[in-house]
Amino acid sequence: MTILFTRFPLESLFGGAEVQTLSLMKSLIARGHDVSFVGSCPVLSVEGAKIGVDTSTVHIGKPPVTKWDALSFLWRKRAMKKALEQMLENYTDTPDVLCMLSLSEKILLTPFALKKGIKVLWIEHDSVGRWLQGNPWLSTIRKISSSVTTVCVSELSAEMYRTMGYENVHCIPNGVESPSFTASVSDTTDITIGCIARLSPEKGVHVLTDAVQHLSNVTLIINGRGTQKIEESQKVHVINRVHDIDDIYKKIDVLVLPSIENDPFGLVVAEAMLRNIPTICTTACGISKYIQSGENGLVVKAGSAVSLRDAIEILQDPESRNRIATSGKVLAETHFTVERMVDQYEQLFSV
């Protein structure tokens, strides 16, 4: 199949959405598909080219995801629509499948692509917030959604999109590549906790730092960058950059994702599980819907430092860590592999 990915984001970060899109594109190429990317996302353009994706950069303007951009979209959309349609017309071989990752092309290019007989998938990696729930273009999006397939990365996100009126919503959990190592569970009550997250309030890192302040024999390593300032101490260490994410995983006994607002999936939880590292996440994380708390992970109330502290204390017990790590690895191997993810996308492509 010939598959075209598009993304025209407000900003380009090397986050979970980009990691998953690159992983999907790489795996589709490995299975013999012809994969291309067009958009204004530098990360996908540059990194995609490195894995054999035919990439093209096109700038059409900002998507309607802020108050001003949604308003100005009213008079900007004609030129944007023309540029998108011209981009698609320029393809010698019309794509069989068009995977859209951002709002502009979902609104403006979808009707044109459908008329050309292209199967359209809307892939939803972004968290659901007021930018979408209160968007003045939401009624238009709802109408178009009946003619496409919307893919969410967790059942939690899928439920939110269905509630907003989207039709034909499917859930395909994110997939993680096989890790290069498997962690051994230590037999001590002295533990190092890891948190891999963007440093911004919605990720709840500040709640986690509050939770560990009065815990004995606990050290916290935070890996991430962002606008939020996290105060370091003897207990709390911030590492902004690492060459290899396994450099963090090899240092920790427990992975915590303390998100306090909608986190569509929670990729680092799946990564840790596959490495045999026990995990704690909150009810705001999409991956929490797959976890049986107390068996293959711990799920706590979002925004509660007390709940986080209680969960960490449970995992100071080596037997609990070992049991949850073992069961979590089985869960991840069953549901969160790249192979399973790509299988499910190929099934949707063929429907």
Side-chain angles (χ1 to χ4, degrees), residues 205 208-210 212-213 218-222 230-239:
V205 179
L208 177 58
T209 59
D210 288 345
V212 303
Q213 287 304 323
V218 172
T219 301
L220 172 61
I221 296 176
I222 299 166
I230 301 297
E231 188 173 340
E232 295 191 69
S233 65
Q234 288 186 333
K235 276 184 170 291
V236 178
H237 308 280
V238 178
I239 302 173

Side-chain angles (χ1 to χ4, degrees), residues 9-57:
L10 183 65
E11 58 181 354
S12 179
L13 302 170
F14 208 148
E18 290 78 10
V19 169
Q20 281 300 289
T21 302
L22 290 165
S23 180
L24 176 58
M25 292 193 295
K26 179 181 177 181
S27 298
L28 289 170
I29 290 172
R31 294 191 182 193
H33 298 284
D34 184 5
V35 179
S36 302
F37 170 77
V38 175
S40 58
C41 176
V43 170
L44 292 184
S45 292
V46 173
E47 298 300 323
K50 293 178 182 178
I51 59 173
V53 177
D54 181 14
T55 66
S56 299
T57 299

